[in-house]
Amino acid sequence: MKAVAINQLPPENASPRPFGPGYASMFAPDKLTVGLYFPIEAFDGPEPAMLEQVDLARKAERLGFAALWARDVPLNDPNFGDLGQLYDPFVWLATIAAHTTGIALATGAVILPLHHPIDVAKAGASLDRLSGGRFVLGVASGDRPVEYPAYGRDPELRAELFRDAFDYATAVLTAPFPIHVSAHYGRLAGGGDLVPKPFSPRLPIIVTGQSGQSLDWIAHHGDGWLTYPRDVLQQAQVASGWREALDRVGAGFKPFAQSLYLDLTEDPDTPPSPIHLGYRLGRRRLADLLDSLRSTGVNHVALNLKLSRRPVADIIDEIGHEVIPHFGIGRAS
């Protein structure tokens, strides 16, 4: 296994970068990259086997996939029937970081109101440092009914808690010895400082879904938006609304990303048919879909292979060899 530098820092003479190389490899104007959700596995029921995940992650990196995503699923809610990759997302992505060298690592998403923002910031900055700046922090407000009562949080305050935790985490990630007063998470009066700070001046924070916020709030505060899959015409309208929100708040480029469940068939010309939050289709039709999404302003598509009928290693190979190079949609940088 190739050694990975730990706590790697930019050279002293390097020019400051707003974000680390992970964000830059995922997102660029007018480009589309492809990522994969963990578990990289096809399975029935809520719980994956989590076999060969490190090998599949390394294969995805070799083939030019831009990012590996992990979700925050603290409790088994039988009403949802999906446990994600089982493990804590920070612990899991740190494990993957130790076995990869360049691919971005992202949470999609940490349920921000359920955790203390200092702890989220500490884990995020630590993972970012240990991975050499490859981490992108995706956050959300959560939607599983069992979670808020278990954490002693009021679900009616979900949107307010999200904003409060977001502001607190941002403060401790960016400012030395910040003074910050939170309505729900305590106060920091300048006597303490979060260590470590991120690899680059800022740790990118991507908002998932609406998280109870207006689009203008997300455009102003977030470093990008991860939303849900829709048909191309609908997604074009949503992407247009995102660009309008960026214009209203005076922001420059901030990426628009989406998830997508995928069942890739052996016949490369199988036309798309809907499945849960995605499509069953052949690789040529997948390439057409990705090209259409790129033209509407989508910058990243994170694939979920849970509903696949073929071995996922074969699917990754086919996308990596036949789709990513042909359309130039590997890493953005």
Side-chain angles (χ1 to χ4, degrees):
M1 181 180 70
K2 185 176 180 179
V4 179
I6 299 297
N7 206 31
Q8 181 182 3
L9 294 173
E12 291 185 1
N13 60 352
S15 59
R17 295 173 297 175
F19 302 123
Y23 184 91
S25 70
M26 291 175 68
F27 305 123
D30 303 318
K31 291 188 177 182
L32 185 149
T33 62
V34 176
L36 288 171
Y37 265 103
F38 287 111
I40 308 173
E41 181 179 343
F43 59 101
D44 297 322
E47 186 170 344
M50 296 296 290
L51 300 176
E52 300 178 345
Q53 295 295 290
V54 169
D55 289 342
L56 291 168
R58 296 174 72 182
K59 175 191 283 286
E61 180 175 52
R62 290 194 302 270
L63 291 171
F65 286 82
L68 297 167
W69 294 79
R71 290 187 295 151
D72 181 18
V73 184
L75 295 171
N76 180 5
D77 184 344
N79 294 318
F80 274 73
D82 183 356
L83 301 180
Q85 74 285 335
L86 299 182
Y87 302 111
D88 174 271
F90 293 108
V91 174
W92 177 246
L93 289 178
T95 301
I96 299 301
H99 292 87
T100 56
T101 57
I103 194 166
L105 308 167
T107 51
V110 171
I111 311 305
L112 192 55
L114 301 183
H115 309 289
H116 196 285
I118 291 177
D119 295 334
V120 173
K122 176 87 173 185
S126 298
L127 178 54
D128 195 49
R129 284 275 180 163
L130 292 170
S131 66
R134 290 190 278 147
F135 182 54
V136 174
L137 176 60
V139 294
S141 61
D143 56 6
R144 302 191 180 207
V146 302
E147 294 172 342
Y148 275 74
Y151 279 84
R153 302 290 184 195
D154 184 351
E156 298 300 318
L157 298 178
R158 180 183 285 110
E160 180 180 336
L161 289 166
F162 180 86
R163 289 192 300 273
D164 195 4
F166 190 103
D167 290 343
Y168 200 153
T170 300
V172 298
L173 282 166
T174 56
F177 294 94
I179 297 174
H180 186 84
V181 178
S182 161
H184 299 283
Y185 297 99
R187 62 191 299 268
L188 190 61
D193 189 29
L194 178 77
V195 290
K197 288 293 193 284
F199 178 88
S200 293
R202 289 182 56 201
L203 181 69
I205 305 179
I206 306 295
V207 177
T208 299
Q210 291 284 149
S211 294
Q213 313 307 315
S214 71
L215 204 54
D216 283 10
W217 188 96
I218 297 171
H220 178 71
H221 291 86
D223 298 308
W225 187 30
L226 174 66
T227 185
Y228 303 100
R230 303 171 181 87
D231 67 56
V232 173
L233 291 179
Q234 288 180 313
Q235 201 70 308
Q237 294 176 341
V238 175
S240 177
W242 172 245
R243 292 190 294 271
E244 291 170 1
L246 291 173
D247 289 340
R248 284 193 298 271
V249 303
F253 168 74
K254 292 184 179 182
F256 180 83
Q258 70 161 77
S259 58
L260 185 73
Y261 277 76
L262 176 68
D263 180 13
L264 195 71
T265 65
E266 291 185 359
D267 180 356
D269 293 309
T270 300
S273 58
I275 59 174
H276 173 70
L277 296 176
Y279 295 101
R280 181 175 188 266
L281 75 177
R283 73 162 183 266
R284 293 195 183 104
R285 303 292 77 80
L286 173 63
D288 292 341
L289 173 62
L290 294 175
D291 198 36
S292 296
L293 290 172
R294 177 174 58 179
S295 69
T296 68
V298 176
N299 303 112
H300 182 83
V301 175
L303 301 175
N304 191 320
L305 303 182
K306 182 183 190 298
L307 302 180
S308 299
R309 304 182 190 182
R310 297 169 55 198
V312 294
D314 294 347
I315 292 172
I316 295 170
D317 273 328
E318 190 167 347
I319 295 172
H321 288 296
E322 303 293 340
V323 178
I324 288 176
H326 183 70
F327 282 89
I329 52 174
R331 297 176 194 159
S333 57

